[in-house]
């Protein structure tokens, strides 16, 4: 069984975009909303991952306004929400156990941020034996100006590394077309 995993689409990420930080895939929220709707329509699980920093000064502290989900990542009743304190969604949550109990072995990953939490979650998931698919145009990425790297460069390198050994990388439109097919299965 497949599940959609939405990583760290939180209000702090939206704030960073609105401040004009160099980023790629500005249509990510719209694509994630469409993916979530399609998965729900087919009765497939939609899982939410949110980052929580214990530092009260952090924008990702649970009491901070930045901790809440963006509208595209609001969990519906019955959808699992995993709150992590590490980069990988697997390291500080029971996500792997939840997936195994539910018989989920293929994950479609969307969210933020490409070079950090998406990257570490996908790698960890692959190492744990899950089949990972990353949506190339539903992943937000930011630049690393101190390293002289644009958001496009960070995203392209991250996706190339993930595709080389850890995941399939597909466009959202292809996954949506497969969901609309009679038998949705990313294995083929």
């Amino acid at each position: 069984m497949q599940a959609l995993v939405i990583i760290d689409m939180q209000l702090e990420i939206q704030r960073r975009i609105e401040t004009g930080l160099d980023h790629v895939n500005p249509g990510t929220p719209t694509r994630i909303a469409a993916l979530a709707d399609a998965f729900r329509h087919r009765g497939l699980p939609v899982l939410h991952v949110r980052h929580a920093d214990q530092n009260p000064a952090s924008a990702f502290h649970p009491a901070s306004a930045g901790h809440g989900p963006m509208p595209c990542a609001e969990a519906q009743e019955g959808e699992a929400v995993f709150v992590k304190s590490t980069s990988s969604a697997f390291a500080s949550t029971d996500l792997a156990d939840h997936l195994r109990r539910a018989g989920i072995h293929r994950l479609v990953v969307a969210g933020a941020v490409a070079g950090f939490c998406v990257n570490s979650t996908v790698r960890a998931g692959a190492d744990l034996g899950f089949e990972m698919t990353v949506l190339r145009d539903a992943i937000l990425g930011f630049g690393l100006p101190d390293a002289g790297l644009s958001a496009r460069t960070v995203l392209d390198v991250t996706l190339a590394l993930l595709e080389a050994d850890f995941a399939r990388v597909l466009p959202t439109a292809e996954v949506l077309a497969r969901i609309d097919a009679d038998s949705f299965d990313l294995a083929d």
Side-chain angles (χ1 to χ4, degrees):
M1 179 190 300
Q2 286 90 199
L4 174 63
V5 178
I6 302 170
I7 300 175
D8 295 353
M9 291 299 285
Q10 292 168 257
L11 294 173
E12 173 59 16
I13 299 298
Q14 183 64 46
R15 187 199 66 77
R16 291 176 185 183
I17 291 168
E18 290 170 355
T19 64
L21 286 178
D22 175 33
H23 69 282
V24 290
N25 290 336
T28 293
T30 301
R31 288 183 189 99
I32 287 175
L35 286 158
D37 286 346
F39 270 73
R40 290 169 180 141
H41 180 74
R42 292 284 281 176
L44 296 169
V46 176
L47 309 175
H48 305 267
V49 176
R50 299 194 185 122
H51 189 77
D53 190 328
Q54 295 310 306
N55 178 351
S58 170
F60 290 102
H61 185 273
S64 169
H67 183 264
M70 293 170 63
C72 67
E74 297 254 355
Q76 290 191 355
E77 186 175 337
E79 293 178 345
V81 177
F82 299 89
V83 180
K84 64 181 179 58
S85 58
T86 55
S87 183
S88 167
F90 289 98
S92 58
T93 72
D94 68 342
L95 176 60
D97 290 338
H98 174 86
L99 295 169
R100 288 185 179 116
R101 281 191 308 271
I104 299 167
H105 56 280
R106 292 187 185 105
L107 302 179
V108 177
V109 178
V113 172
F116 294 92
C117 297
V118 169
N119 185 12
S120 59
T121 297
V122 170
R123 287 171 180 248
D127 286 346
L128 291 168
F130 296 100
E131 294 176 36
M132 308 299 286
T133 297
V134 178
L135 300 172
R136 91 172 55 254
D137 56 354
I139 300 292
L140 282 171
F142 292 95
L144 295 171
D146 291 346
L149 299 172
S150 71
R152 174 55 54 197
T153 298
V154 172
L155 179 70
D156 289 348
V157 169
T158 299
L159 291 178
L161 289 167
L162 291 176
E163 191 168 32
D165 200 32
F166 300 97
R168 294 172 69 185
V169 177
L170 298 173
T172 300
E174 183 173 336
V175 172
L176 288 172
R178 288 180 184 211
I179 290 173
D180 287 341
D182 285 337
S183 59
F184 172 57
D185 190 347
L186 286 174
D188 53 2

